[in-house]
Amino acid sequence: MIVIRLLIVALLIAVAALGLAWLFTGNRKYLGYMGRVLRFAIVFGFVAALLFVVERLVLR
């Protein structure tokens, strides 16, 4: 569980840094990077949630 929390913190830091980089430079490539990071986070979160559900069903 601690690993997931650390990944969430790293994700928030990365999104904030990319958002600030976009604000300061105006370069839209940082928005593209932010989109990729968020897409990866959503997919990873979905897979992790699915694994938790499967684990609960198997261990029932």
Side-chain angles (χ1 to χ4, degrees):
M1 195 59 149
I2 190 98
V3 173
I4 293 174
R5 289 181 183 162
L6 289 173
L7 285 173
I8 290 171
V9 170
L11 170 75
L12 292 175
I13 290 170
V15 168
L18 288 168
L20 287 173
W22 172 69
L23 282 175
F24 287 130
T25 64
N27 194 344
R28 293 185 56 86
K29 75 176 181 178
Y30 295 115
L31 288 178
Y33 293 150
M34 192 174 3
R36 287 185 194 145
V37 169
L38 289 173
R39 227 175 326 184
F40 171 76
I42 289 171
V43 169
F44 181 78
F46 181 72
V47 169
L50 189 62
L51 287 174
F52 282 132
V53 168
V54 168
E55 179 185 11
R56 293 293 257 185
L57 289 175
V58 169
L59 293 178
R60 199 173 224 206

